[in-house]
Amino acid sequence: MEKQQMESDIGLLMRQPYGRRVVWQMLEQAGVWRSSFNTEPLAMAFAEGRRNFGLWLLDLVVRECADEYELMMREARDG
């Protein structure tokens, strides 16, 4: 997918309440806000790969739609 198209699509997604819920859930599942440390090297490598995707998504969201990111954070906090 082209970079410009991805940037446009994430903006459209984040403007919708359901889109922000989906992105939030993806970031949580990716483990963006928790350590991926594990004493088992393969489990840690797997978790770090998942987290790397989440960090990519987080970067895209923050760069392209900072206002919606802040709204998503408030919505997640307020439940």
Side-chain angles (χ1 to χ4, degrees):
M1 181 178 289
E2 291 185 32
K3 184 180 177 195
Q4 289 176 328
Q5 185 66 56
M6 178 63 78
E7 292 167 350
S8 174
D9 290 349
I10 198 71
L12 291 171
L13 185 64
M14 290 293 291
R15 283 195 274 285
Q16 302 300 320
Y18 64 82
R20 292 188 299 274
R21 287 190 302 269
V22 167
V23 170
W24 180 261
Q25 186 69 301
M26 291 174 75
L27 292 171
E28 281 194 328
Q29 288 297 313
V32 169
W33 296 290
R34 65 181 179 269
S35 172
S36 58
F37 177 77
N38 190 312
T39 57
E40 175 59 43
L42 293 178
M44 185 169 161
F46 180 81
E48 194 57 28
R50 184 174 48 210
R51 188 168 183 269
N52 187 56
F53 167 77
L55 292 172
W56 170 83
L57 178 59
L58 179 60
D59 177 66
L60 179 63
V61 167
V62 170
R63 273 188 297 109
E64 296 305 318
C65 28
D67 292 339
E68 288 83 0
Y69 173 73
E70 290 179 25
L71 176 58
M72 180 180 68
M73 296 289 287
R74 285 194 305 274
E75 290 169 342
R77 180 193 64 213
D78 297 341

